[in-house]
Amino acid sequence: MGGSSSTGWGKTKGSSPRAMTPVEEVDISAVRYKPPTLQAPHLTGFSLRAFLWLMESPLLGPLITSVLKSQNNMPQMLQQTVIPERPMYYPEYPPQDLEPGVVLVGEDRHPVERVHEALQYLPPYDPSVRWATEEKLPFLYWKIRDFAHAYRSGITTPSVVAEHVIAGVEEWNNKKPPMPMLIYFNADDLRRQAEASTKRFEQGNPMSILDGIFVAIKDDIDCFPYPTKGATTFFDQIHTVEKDAVCVARLRKCGVIFIGKANMHELGLGVTGNNPNYGTARNPHSVDRYTGGSSSGPAALVSSGLCSVAIGTDGGGSVRIPSALCGIVGFKTTYGRTDMTGVLCDAGTVEVASPLASSVEDAMLVYSAIAGSRPMDKLTLRPSPLCVPNLLSPDNNNILGSVKIGKYTEWFHDVSDREISSTCEDALKLLCSTFGCQIEEIILPELEEMRTAHVVSIGSESFCDLNPHYKAGRRTEFTLDTRTSLALFGSFSSTDYVASQCISMTAPKIPPSALKSGESDYVVSAYLMRFIIAGNLLGLPAITVPVGHDKQGLPIGLQLIGRPWGEASLLRVAAAVEDLCLKKRNRPAAFYDILKA
């Protein structure tokens, strides 16, 4: 990635273009943090329709997009700058050293074997803690091992739990306002899956610890025989689902019960979760607020207690943003760690399929099942061996004590309310005082350039995938905000894309006027994406862990970003943070206690 010089920019000799300093010559000590600014109108209702008409106008559209991009310095960064680095279309890293205190689970093994291996290195399960008759304090979500214990001990069966899931989905759909967390739901199919799982338990041969575990799948991931719509009204008409996506097939081999296709921001082109097509999923902690997106339905389902885990996709924070806003765990793996075959965005350079979970433990178990690179990625990306942390190791505390946490303080505190960063800082201080971790001040140069490069990368790739349908008369079938995004993305040139490859808040309220026709607010989107872009553009693994709530009761999530292929170490630290902050988690206002029911 190119670097800014101590003076910010230079000029090439004898010409006017600006020039970035070669990465090896960047003077980090001279970098000064600049709060990012994005200029774009906030539009809903009629104003959104009018603006879209201008954007799609052959005469005025290019002028509007040119003004928007110029206001946000994009032409200067991408077309008027000499960038010395070669383009890197896929995140590539040199071979990494093996992480300390980990267990190899082997990505070529059967998913059941991998999950069983990971299970052996979790702390012992104590049913007395989870099944106390008195009201449990603090609030705890039911975990995968809680369901497994309940099934094996005869407390309940998958079929019984399925009826509670069905009742919960119907209850949320009938609420005022409704909470449409699923786009496709078939109660009879759910009952059939649960009955098959119940019989396996009755016969004493469950497939794995994941047998009978209810999981929702985001609507851009194939899950046969359900349709994949990408939260549009038409995509299932041109996209035939013939088999499971690879990540779904791996879960199915473990006995997972699929609830259905979860709601999302249309085609993933937004981070609020607003969807006029099927209704907007609402935040279980405050139903007048967004869940975040684009994995809005998966986050709402897990947060509300209807399932312990969901699978989403993350190309621009789409797993981590809704997880943080809904008070759950969102785990984005290294780019290429999971085979993306069968996912609508399987050819992109920033997207991964990853779990949203009620706990770090559940994220780890499901990660063990779905991980495994596609053959081509093994050749080009050279992934490190698939590992999980050994949390039973006598050296676990020492390993945690040796962790160094890089913190860019000015960036860390650039939030809408200092209470957010202070809560996250308290969690880090608690981690350090408990285990002896060290926090080191770091500097991240070129955050603005990175944001621009990410927008151009994911926007160009999305536009390339959707443009044939857009041109074939489907334009008016997209939502207004999707069309606005596509009009902007379509203005990016090949020069912009290649240049971008060389540069390698709590929940907002839902405006009533946005429910019917959608909403375009790039300023809020940029704010929500402020801390997540590095993970996508650079392909790094990242996880968000709930660490508390603000004065309004809204969840606050702390994001941790790891080294390439360093998922195991990330999970170890995240588990420690989660345990230290467990008493700070609050029960969502809209919550279905599915096992107690």
Side-chain angles (χ1 to χ4, degrees), residues 157-180:
T157 68
S159 290
V160 171
V161 176
E163 295 303 321
H164 294 312
V165 172
I166 293 168
V169 170
E170 292 175 348
E171 179 182 333
W172 295 150
N173 287 341
N174 294 327
K175 279 183 178 293
K176 293 184 179 179
M179 296 178 63

Side-chain angles (χ1 to χ4, degrees), residues 445-502:
E446 299 168 356
L447 289 173
E448 191 72 7
E449 288 81 359
M450 194 181 301
R451 185 190 76 183
T452 299
H454 175 264
V455 169
V456 173
S457 297
I458 194 171
S460 298
E461 291 164 10
S462 299
F463 184 79
C464 182
D465 289 340
L466 298 172
N467 193 43
H469 312 300
Y470 189 81
K471 296 291 187 182
R474 297 282 186 179
R475 184 181 73 178
T476 58
E477 297 181 59
F478 292 109
T479 59
L480 299 181
D481 68 310
T482 296
R483 289 167 63 183
T484 302
S485 295
L486 291 176
L488 173 63
F489 296 160
S491 71
F492 295 144
S493 67
S494 58
T495 302
D496 294 332
Y497 184 72
V498 173
S500 74
Q501 297 300 320
C502 296

Side-chain angles (χ1 to χ4, degrees), residues 235-281:
F235 209 81
D236 57 319
Q237 301 168 23
I238 56 179
H239 175 81
T240 302
V241 178
E242 298 178 345
K243 60 181 180 179
D244 291 331
V246 169
C247 60
V248 173
R250 289 170 176 167
L251 288 173
R252 199 181 293 276
K253 290 176 181 178
C254 297
V256 158
I257 297 173
F258 297 107
I259 293 178
K261 302 303 291 293
N263 204 346
M264 58 181 284
H265 206 114
E266 187 182 61
L267 295 168
L269 298 182
V271 295
T272 61
N274 182 289
N275 190 313
N277 294 331
Y278 300 97
T280 296

Side-chain angles (χ1 to χ4, degrees), residues 161-442:
V161 176
E163 295 303 321
H164 294 312
V165 172
I166 293 168
V169 170
E170 292 175 348
E171 179 182 333
W172 295 150
N173 287 341
N174 294 327
K175 279 183 178 293
K176 293 184 179 179
M179 296 178 63
M181 295 182 278
L182 290 163
I183 286 176
Y184 183 87
F185 177 70
N186 186 319
D188 291 336
D189 182 67
L190 188 66
R191 291 186 175 104
R192 283 193 293 270
Q193 293 182 71
E195 182 181 2
S197 179
T198 297
K199 287 182 178 178
R200 291 194 292 270
F201 279 101
E202 290 173 349
Q203 295 166 0
N205 60 349
M207 297 169 73
S208 76
I209 194 71
L210 298 181
D211 203 334
I213 301 302
F214 292 79
V215 175
I217 303 297
K218 187 179 179 183
D219 196 36
D220 61 352
I221 304 173
D222 287 350
C223 183
F224 185 80
Y226 307 150
T228 295
K229 301 181 180 182
T232 69
T233 59
F234 70 89
F235 209 81
D236 57 319
Q237 301 168 23
I238 56 179
H239 175 81
T240 302
V241 178
E242 298 178 345
K243 60 181 180 179
D244 291 331
V246 169
C247 60
V248 173
R250 289 170 176 167
L251 288 173
R252 199 181 293 276
K253 290 176 181 178
C254 297
V256 158
I257 297 173
F258 297 107
I259 293 178
K261 302 303 291 293
N263 204 346
M264 58 181 284
H265 206 114
E266 187 182 61
L267 295 168
L269 298 182
V271 295
T272 61
N274 182 289
N275 190 313
N277 294 331
Y278 300 97
T280 296
R282 293 172 177 272
N283 194 318
H285 286 270
S286 182
V287 297
D288 64 338
R289 292 181 180 267
Y290 282 123
T291 57
S294 61
S295 303
S296 52
L301 284 159
V302 175
S303 179
S304 67
L306 284 177
C307 58
S308 294
V309 180
I311 303 298
T313 52
D314 191 319
S318 292
V319 161
R320 289 161 291 154
I321 289 172
S323 295
L325 298 188
C326 291
I328 59 174
V329 174
F331 180 36
K332 177 210 167 288
T333 63
T334 305
Y335 176 84
R337 176 62 90 183
T338 299
D339 191 326
M340 292 288 284
T341 303
V343 182
L344 292 188
C345 51
D346 68 340
T349 62
V350 295
E351 196 101 9
V352 296
S354 295
L356 302 86
S358 59
S359 65
V360 174
E361 174 183 307
D362 288 356
M364 174 175 153
L365 289 173
V366 171
Y367 163 70
S368 301
I370 69 173
S373 305
R374 72 175 99 197
M376 183 57 69
D377 287 341
K378 291 180 183 178
L379 294 175
T380 58
L381 299 179
R382 298 168 296 173
S384 298
L386 181 60
C387 305
V388 294
N390 180 358
L391 300 181
L392 294 179
S393 169
D395 291 329
N396 192 52
N397 285 2
N398 292 333
I399 294 171
L400 284 169
S402 67
V403 169
K404 292 182 179 179
I405 302 171
K407 178 187 172 193
Y408 190 2
T409 297
E410 290 180 281
W411 186 44
F412 188 89
H413 287 297
D414 187 12
V415 293
S416 60
D417 188 333
R418 190 61 180 258
E419 183 184 11
I420 298 172
S421 60
S422 296
T423 300
C424 291
E425 193 162 51
D426 289 344
L428 287 179
K429 289 179 179 177
L430 188 58
L431 180 71
C432 292
S433 63
T434 303
F435 297 104
C437 309
Q438 297 296 315
I439 294 180
E440 295 189 1
E441 185 64 27
I442 62 171

